Amino acid sequence: MRRTMLASAGILGMVSLMAVTGVSAMSPQPTDPSVAMMAQMAERNFPSGTQAVVLVAGNAPPADWMAASALAAHLNGPVLATPNPAQLGPTVNEALSQMAIPAVSQTTQPFQPPAGKPAVYAIGLTSIAVATLQAEGYTVTALNNLAPNALLKAVNQWVAPPVPSQMAGFPSSWTSYAGGPTHNAVFPAPPGAPLWETAGVHWQTPEMAAVPFSANYPDLLNLGERSAPVKMTQDLGNAVGVTAVNGIIYAESDDYHLYAMDARTGQVLWTAGPTVNALMGNPLVADGLVFVSAGDTGFPFSQLLKYDLSGGTAPLVRGLGYAALYAFNAQTGRLVWRQDFHGNAMATPIVVGNTVYQPTGGGNLWAMSATTGHVLWKTNLGGFDSMSSPNYWYNPETHAGEVIVGTSDANHVVAVNAATGQIIWTQPTNLAIFNTGMGDNSPTVDPQNGIVIQDSVVDFNHANGTCNLAVYAMNAATGQMLWSTDLGRGAAPPAYKAGVAMVANGVVYVGSPVTSTFYALNESTGQVLWSFAIPKAGPAGAGRGNAVLADGVLWLAAGPSIYALNPATGQEISQYTPGGRFGIVNPVIVGHTMYLDNSYDWVQAIPLTLIDPHLG
Amino acid sequence: MRRTMLASAGILGMVSLMAVTGVSAMSPQPTDPSVAMMAQMAERNFPSGTQAVVLVAGNAPPADWMAASALAAHLNGPVLATPNPAQLGPTVNEALSQMAIPAVSQTTQPFQPPAGKPAVYAIGLTSIAVATLQAEGYTVTALNNLAPNALLKAVNQWVAPPVPSQMAGFPSSWTSYAGGPTHNAVFPAPPGAPLWETAGVHWQTPEMAAVPFSANYPDLLNLGERSAPVKMTQDLGNAVGVTAVNGIIYAESDDYHLYAMDARTGQVLWTAGPTVNALMGNPLVADGLVFVSAGDTGFPFSQLLKYDLSGGTAPLVRGLGYAALYAFNAQTGRLVWRQDFHGNAMATPIVVGNTVYQPTGGGNLWAMSATTGHVLWKTNLGGFDSMSSPNYWYNPETHAGEVIVGTSDANHVVAVNAATGQIIWTQPTNLAIFNTGMGDNSPTVDPQNGIVIQDSVVDFNHANGTCNLAVYAMNAATGQMLWSTDLGRGAAPPAYKAGVAMVANGVVYVGSPVTSTFYALNESTGQVLWSFAIPKAGPAGAGRGNAVLADGVLWLAAGPSIYALNPATGQEISQYTPGGRFGIVNPVIVGHTMYLDNSYDWVQAIPLTLIDPHLG
């Protein structure tokens, strides 16, 4: 959708390019007229400039021209030609200046690529010409003195690197939000895992709408410190965490694209999209397909009227634009099937066996064949879904599989029979749920104890705009409430108003954007064991994404930073600020690397030892 | 945003390509490995296929490779190479099949390019190879036997055709919605105008999200016959009419792009975007800049609560995503400045002198320097704007310029002093305005008689969902109501619930999507002179866009068809169905060509004589 790639990904690819050496020179030089024509066409194809230009010595051999055209397509930039590999000439200089991205404002603006000169990939230019470009302030990747076909091979390695498969330590599928029912997406490296997994890798890759880390929140002037950051979570960058399968990192973005990156290098393997609406979920991978759903948080005015006239009781349909579930080939990114919905499909679906389940803003849970997208059944949930991703529990006594999801208006947690679509139980709770409450948040399941954990904002005070956040546990078989705990009052947070819980070793770990504090609760009693005030949360609040437990450390991504906490006490061991800001993002840990994405539209890989030096 | 160009535009460009002849052959042939590498890179860059592929004989000279890379960028397709200009070989065949767009559904889906094989642009292939491709079902544009540089020249003519300027018959600026205060966008060809203007031209050009005319409304299954068509108007294709300036047709699309096309050929001169949100306006052109504003119709849930708790009285902010006004260079499409807003900027702004005015979903009228975007002042209108584009009237007595616009919640028509930003008058009317009423529709101004015409849905019956549409006239100097006329009851239309009025010769021409009927009213009394029941309106209703008067005929685009009516009686003279469906689209007539865009994301030029043979 938004072709504003910040910089070229695949740094490693470039290294291999630089390493190549050799010689080349054939064919007559291009005439200045042909150079001028290339410049004209570049300006038409990229009227507001580009972030990358491929500049080719016109006498380069066919294989180099092949490489140039593929590289340009990969970088979304034009190919320009030089009349002479040793000097640029006025036409080329003019063309390059036309490709600079104009500055349009003092403040950062959404989906606006940073102003400046394009990066230049110089093919077959002499070092004098390269030096000239550098002297004029261009960042140049010199691809000169290459043997015939060497450039094409190197570019091919960069644009089409091998797609990993069956990587030790990585799961081979990812069938529910945050990597499993407990939301603890941690995958230790097994004996014999490659060094990069056990040591950890460090890279960051921009997506199409990437915002520089140095920049303010987009549209801060209009939105302010309270709304600007969460607006990013909803409308720019990555809303929730990444997926790690078979050595590939998958990330969904509000830039309407799904990204597949090499977990070792961060190289973009492929990009699928644009989709019909923003992608705010956690990609699911099963049986060679990757599933992503598209939707938005909006309502048309007719729904306001309906809501008002009914005194807030009428069933609403959430979702302004089109909504759909996509299945792409997990290795190639090729579209396999797509199913459109009434109402949004923001929440991450869930895959059980060969069935994929999607709750929608239309208030239905759709069951579809994972292979074909064919609709098996549709069950009305009695409320609409917002960002509540379903979870799954298998009842060993009844042998029934339950798809468990939260709904808004009415605010319920609902368990649906995965095979028949019949509702097994509905839990309205006796809590004064506020706003989209339960339909926003993804329930957590402890399969061993058969417990469902959910939380919602409650007890809204219209007078002063404060509310509380309640965490509660339900019997997974019956929906019966086991306990509920208030985590404290504060200003009702903008946008996503809950924290995703993670359960491990009889402890519930959950944050509250109401108090910008992170908590540990006893899973059987709901008693608060400890709390950790999240630094740098800011007026937008923090604590929406869930923490994970690895190497005896609790890892939390909140606001701009990542925290290593003592899981027993909540004491901060260390913190690390990688750049950007996290939305509803949970860390994903494979071996000793943490994989994250953020609201600035970047995907990051960080060695655990960089976050917590004590581990080293 | 959505790179799904239906087919390549620029048919004339192709003709000139085909005409070129000559010979070429140099450099060694590419090896099969290099061909395989091109195929791999094409698959990575276009994982779900493309609509166009540039297939080059690997031994083509550098100038042909230059042409290939620019052509590929223009068509958003890959460059593939053949090992041998006379035969394709298995690798190329496999690569081409990978570039086919997969079929994903029985029904049309939004922003999904049609399934099928890509169009092939074959450079330097022998006619045998071309014939082979055609035998395999590919549509091939053969660019063979070209003299050195001839291909590059031809492609340059296609990708970067001359940009028209100062064209006889065309206006040199376009400063308000529908081309002027009366909304009668008609520009007769003067003596000495070129033949194509006086005779009329016929072309149609797809935009990025173009839907085939043969297709159903996208997502018809979920949305139904009533909502699916108007959903397109809001979320897909062109919401309102085009702009014609100096031989260029400008069109804004929900595909997040602004298009500039050659009025004679339909060739795309350039495409600007993606913008931060959908473009639903009528591009304005003044002083070498083209102005477009971006926004959406949505509300966050917090606004529903606010509305409900206040009993529908609280001031709302309309607009879910980011919103901005853009100024691009009118000749090149290069971004010059951008201003972001709080609340949507769906409505077309207005330019008066060196000031551009934008009403927003935040309830403000922003005044900015047209040259720099610098904000001069901001006035709260007492209600939010939806799709009400401001109009302008100069008061000869007070010498005050008035910017006149409708607002919703509260429903008002407001006149603001163009110089100071002070509100001159506010007219709430005594009518029971329903829904976003006045804030949806663009007021019409009769400068001679100092009259403002507006219409809104009124008297909503909650029991049966019916309403009326009231047209009313106000004194432009005082806002005093002169008359109001009910046009009849019917089901409240989905989405845009009004008709844009046009005034000419003391008659108000206006449609009603409530009754799907078009009317002529006496401007001084409001008396209905005649009515015309719009055929093929369907359950979505029709009559939203305004009609225009040219050559003694009233021209109306409504539903899927264009109608030529007798302006005195409303009798149908003839009708024409060009394909697609019109949203809030008014015809724009220059010479004897009608220019339109539609909800299917196409821009069309149609000779008047084709619509009304009697003219010929």
Side-chain angles (χ1 to χ4, degrees):
Chain A
M1 159 202 197
R2 303 178 170 93
R3 305 289 283 161
T4 60
M5 190 82 65
L6 234 204
S8 69
I11 289 74
L12 292 197
M14 290 319 303
V15 174
S16 68
L17 281 176
M18 300 301 297
V20 182
T21 53
V23 281
S24 91
M26 58 202 307
S27 319
Q29 289 177 14
T31 60
D32 263 319
S34 64
V35 171
M37 286 189 270
M38 292 300 285
Q40 286 165 7
M41 293 189 282
E43 188 179 348
R44 289 299 176 87
N45 285 330
F46 303 92
S48 287
T50 65
Q51 292 177 284
V53 168
V54 179
L55 181 56
V56 187
N59 59 348
D64 286 7
W65 280 100
M66 290 183 193
S69 66
L71 185 55
H74 183 71
L75 297 171
N76 192 39
V79 174
L80 294 173
T82 55
N84 179 331
Q87 63 187 63
L88 302 178
T91 312
V92 171
N93 279 312
E94 171 61 16
L96 283 175
S97 66
Q98 289 288 354
M99 286 300 105
I101 290 169
V104 293
S105 172
Q106 308 292 66
T107 59
T108 305
Q109 291 170 308
F111 305 110
Q112 185 64 40
K117 299 182 166 187
V120 178
Y121 298 84
I123 297 178
L125 267 63
T126 65
S127 16
I128 296 122
V130 168
T132 311
L133 283 168
Q134 287 165 331
E136 288 164 3
Y138 290 95
T139 306
V140 184
T141 303
L143 311 166
N144 46 14
N145 306 319
L146 299 183
N149 282 334
L151 175 65
L152 186 59
K153 287 199 188 83
V155 167
N156 183 63
Q157 276 297 312
W158 183 19
V159 175
V163 176
S165 63
Q166 303 299 337
M167 190 78 64
F170 283 79
S172 57
S173 69
W174 189 283
T175 58
S176 69
Y177 178 80
T182 65
H183 297 156
N184 193 40
V186 172
F187 307 91
L195 177 63
W196 67 267
E197 282 190 38
T198 51
V201 291
H202 194 197
W203 51 259
Q204 55 190 24
T205 300
E207 296 160 279
M208 287 183 191
V211 174
F213 294 152
S214 57
N216 270 335
Y217 304 129
D219 207 20
L220 181 61
L221 253 49
N222 285 313
L223 300 172
E225 288 283 353
R226 178 171 154 79
S227 292
V230 291
K231 178 84 166 178
M232 289 182 83
T233 301
Q234 284 191 354
D235 292 353
L236 198 157
N238 309 83
V240 305
V242 301
T243 294
V245 170
N246 290 335
I248 301 175
I249 301 302
Y250 298 92
E252 297 183 28
S253 170
D254 285 328
D255 68 22
Y256 288 48
H257 286 82
L258 164 68
Y259 298 82
M261 299 177 187
D262 185 306
R264 182 176 63 85
T265 64
Q267 273 185 285
V268 174
L269 298 169
W270 47 260
T271 303
T275 47
V276 76
N277 210 326
L279 300 179
M280 301 197 204
N282 178 209
L284 302 183
V285 181
D287 297 324
L289 296 178
V290 50
F291 304 91
V292 302
S293 56
D296 62 69
T297 63
F299 295 88
F301 188 80
S302 60
Q303 295 291 300
L304 274 76
L305 278 181
K306 191 176 171 188
Y307 196 72
D308 178 33
L309 296 171
S310 68
T313 60
L316 296 176
V317 175
R318 179 166 217 165
L320 189 69
Y322 293 99
L325 175 63
Y326 293 80
F328 297 99
N329 180 303
Q331 289 282 301
T332 67
R334 185 169 176 84
L335 180 59
V336 176
W337 61 258
R338 164 179 161 180
Q339 178 63 50
D340 288 32
F341 305 110
H342 180 54
N344 83 73
M346 282 188 291
T348 302
I350 188 166
V351 174
V352 182
N354 188 42
T355 306
V356 56
Y357 303 85
Q358 178 71 55
T360 67
N364 293 302
L365 180 69
W366 297 55
M368 292 151 283
S369 156
T371 314
T372 65
H374 174 73
V375 177
L376 305 173
W377 48 258
K378 204 164 61 167
T379 294
N380 187 292
L381 299 170
F384 67 85
D385 189 69
S386 181
M387 281 283 280
S388 181
S389 303
N391 211 322
Y392 179 78
W393 183 68
Y394 176 78
N395 186 327
E397 285 165 20
T398 64
H399 303 292
E402 299 181 0
V403 174
I404 301 161
V405 65
T407 66
S408 304
D409 182 51
N411 276 288
H412 292 319
V413 175
V414 186
V416 178
N417 183 303
T420 66
Q422 282 172 314
I423 290 176
I424 296 173
W425 54 261
T426 294
Q427 175 52 266
T429 82
N430 55 0
L431 306 163
I433 305 288
F434 160 59
N435 200 281
T436 46
M438 289 204 219
D440 262 352
N441 200 34
S442 304
T444 308
V445 166
D446 177 345
Q448 279 65 38
N449 302 322
I451 292 177
V452 178
I453 306 292
Q454 172 71 316
D455 58 89
S456 313
V457 280
V458 296
D459 303 324
F460 182 60
N461 179 325
H462 297 309
N464 62 17
T466 63
C467 66
N468 208 319
L469 189 117
V471 186
Y472 38 97
M474 287 159 281
N475 177 311
T478 63
Q480 178 205 352
M481 288 280 273
L482 303 175
W483 53 259
S484 83
T485 302
D486 280 359
L487 294 183
R489 291 195 80 76
Y496 195 92
K497 295 178 169 55
V500 181
M502 184 275 283
V503 183
N505 314 328
V507 179
V508 175
Y509 300 94
V510 63
S512 167
V514 174
T515 56
S516 292
T517 300
F518 198 81
Y519 306 85
L521 287 72
N522 179 308
E523 185 188 1
S524 359
T525 64
Q527 179 202 357
V528 175
L529 304 174
W530 54 254
S531 69
F532 167 70
I534 298 167
K536 295 176 273 172
R544 293 171 170 92
N546 68 267
V548 296
L549 197 59
D551 293 301
V553 175
L554 189 70
W555 308 88
L556 173 68
S561 299
I562 302 163
Y563 302 92
L565 305 178
N566 179 324
T569 64
Q571 275 184 310
E572 178 179 320
I573 300 165
S574 64
Q575 60 173 279
Y576 179 77
T577 301
R581 188 181 191 281
F582 299 108
I584 312 155
V585 173
N586 58 287
V588 171
I589 295 174
V590 181
H592 286 97
T593 304
M594 181 183 294
Y595 295 99
L596 308 128
D597 50 12
N598 63 37
S599 298
Y600 280 56
D601 217 32
W602 292 74
V603 178
Q604 298 167 316
I606 306 165
L608 293 186
T609 49
L610 197 58
I611 303 166
D612 177 7
H614 312 80
L615 273 187
Chain B
M1 160 199 195
R2 303 174 170 96
R3 305 287 285 165
T4 61
M5 190 81 66
L6 235 202
S8 68
I11 289 72
L12 292 196
M14 291 319 302
V15 174
S16 68
L17 279 175
M18 300 302 297
V20 182
T21 53
V23 280
S24 91
M26 57 201 308
S27 319
Q29 290 177 11
T31 60
D32 265 320
S34 64
V35 171
M37 285 189 270
M38 292 299 285
Q40 286 166 6
M41 292 189 282
E43 190 179 345
R44 289 299 177 85
N45 285 330
F46 302 93
S48 287
T50 65
Q51 292 177 287
V53 167
V54 179
L55 180 56
V56 187
N59 60 349
D64 286 7
W65 279 101
M66 290 183 193
S69 66
L71 184 56
H74 183 71
L75 298 170
N76 192 38
V79 175
L80 293 173
T82 54
N84 178 332
Q87 63 187 61
L88 302 179
T91 313
V92 172
N93 280 311
E94 172 61 17
L96 283 174
S97 66
Q98 289 288 354
M99 287 300 106
I101 290 169
V104 293
S105 172
Q106 307 292 66
T107 60
T108 306
Q109 291 170 307
F111 306 109
Q112 185 64 40
K117 299 181 166 187
V120 177
Y121 297 83
I123 296 177
L125 267 62
T126 65
S127 19
I128 297 123
V130 168
T132 312
L133 283 168
Q134 287 164 332
E136 288 164 4
Y138 290 96
T139 306
V140 184
T141 302
L143 310 166
N144 47 14
N145 306 319
L146 299 182
N149 282 335
L151 175 65
L152 186 60
K153 287 200 189 82
V155 167
N156 183 63
Q157 275 298 309
W158 183 18
V159 175
V163 176
S165 63
Q166 303 299 337
M167 191 79 65
F170 283 78
S172 58
S173 70
W174 190 284
T175 58
S176 70
Y177 178 80
T182 65
H183 298 157
N184 193 40
V186 172
F187 307 91
L195 177 63
W196 67 267
E197 282 191 38
T198 51
V201 291
H202 193 198
W203 51 259
Q204 55 190 24
T205 300
E207 297 159 279
M208 287 184 191
V211 175
F213 294 151
S214 58
N216 270 334
Y217 304 129
D219 207 19
L220 181 61
L221 254 48
N222 285 313
L223 300 171
E225 288 284 353
R226 179 172 153 80
S227 292
V230 291
K231 178 86 166 178
M232 289 182 83
T233 300
Q234 285 191 353
D235 292 352
L236 199 156
N238 309 84
V240 306
V242 301
T243 294
V245 170
N246 290 334
I248 300 175
I249 302 301
Y250 298 93
E252 296 182 28
S253 170
D254 285 327
D255 68 23
Y256 287 47
H257 286 82
L258 163 68
Y259 297 83
M261 300 177 188
D262 185 308
R264 181 176 63 83
T265 65
Q267 272 185 284
V268 174
L269 299 169
W270 47 260
T271 302
T275 47
V276 76
N277 210 326
L279 300 178
M280 300 196 205
N282 178 210
L284 302 184
V285 181
D287 298 324
L289 296 177
V290 50
F291 304 91
V292 303
S293 57
D296 62 68
T297 63
F299 295 88
F301 188 80
S302 59
Q303 295 291 300
L304 272 77
L305 278 181
K306 191 176 172 189
Y307 196 74
D308 178 32
L309 296 171
S310 69
T313 60
L316 296 175
V317 175
R318 180 167 215 162
L320 189 69
Y322 293 100
L325 175 62
Y326 293 79
F328 297 99
N329 179 305
Q331 290 281 300
T332 67
R334 185 168 176 84
L335 182 57
V336 175
W337 60 258
R338 164 180 162 180
Q339 178 63 49
D340 287 31
F341 305 110
H342 179 53
N344 84 73
M346 282 188 292
T348 302
I350 190 167
V351 174
V352 181
N354 187 42
T355 307
V356 55
Y357 304 84
Q358 179 72 55
T360 68
N364 293 303
L365 180 70
W366 296 56
M368 292 151 282
S369 157
T371 314
T372 65
H374 175 74
V375 177
L376 306 173
W377 48 258
K378 206 165 60 168
T379 293
N380 187 293
L381 299 170
F384 68 84
D385 189 68
S386 180
M387 280 284 280
S388 182
S389 304
N391 212 324
Y392 179 78
W393 183 68
Y394 175 79
N395 186 327
E397 284 164 19
T398 63
H399 302 291
E402 299 181 1
V403 175
I404 301 161
V405 65
T407 66
S408 304
D409 182 50
N411 277 287
H412 292 319
V413 175
V414 185
V416 177
N417 183 305
T420 66
Q422 283 172 313
I423 290 176
I424 296 173
W425 55 260
T426 294
Q427 174 53 265
T429 82
N430 55 1
L431 306 163
I433 306 288
F434 160 59
N435 201 279
T436 46
M438 288 205 224
D440 263 353
N441 201 34
S442 304
T444 308
V445 166
D446 177 345
Q448 280 64 40
N449 303 322
I451 292 177
V452 178
I453 307 293
Q454 172 71 313
D455 58 88
S456 314
V457 280
V458 295
D459 304 323
F460 183 59
N461 180 326
H462 297 310
N464 62 18
T466 63
C467 66
N468 208 321
L469 188 118
V471 186
Y472 37 98
M474 290 158 280
N475 177 312
T478 64
Q480 178 206 352
M481 289 281 275
L482 304 174
W483 53 258
S484 85
T485 301
D486 280 358
L487 294 183
R489 292 195 80 77
Y496 195 92
K497 295 178 169 54
V500 181
M502 184 274 283
V503 183
N505 314 327
V507 178
V508 175
Y509 300 96
V510 64
S512 168
V514 175
T515 56
S516 292
T517 300
F518 198 81
Y519 306 86
L521 287 72
N522 178 309
E523 185 187 1
S524 2
T525 64
Q527 181 203 356
V528 175
L529 305 174
W530 54 254
S531 70
F532 167 70
I534 299 166
K536 296 178 274 174
R544 292 171 171 92
N546 67 269
V548 296
L549 197 58
D551 293 302
V553 174
L554 189 70
W555 308 89
L556 173 69
S561 299
I562 303 162
Y563 302 92
L565 305 178
N566 179 323
T569 64
Q571 274 185 310
E572 178 179 319
I573 299 165
S574 63
Q575 60 173 280
Y576 179 77
T577 302
R581 188 181 191 279
F582 299 108
I584 312 156
V585 172
N586 58 287
V588 171
I589 295 175
V590 182
H592 286 98
T593 304
M594 180 183 294
Y595 295 100
L596 307 129
D597 50 13
N598 63 37
S599 299
Y600 280 55
D601 217 31
W602 291 74
V603 178
Q604 298 167 315
I606 306 165
L608 293 186
T609 49
L610 197 58
I611 304 165
D612 176 8
H614 311 81
L615 273 186

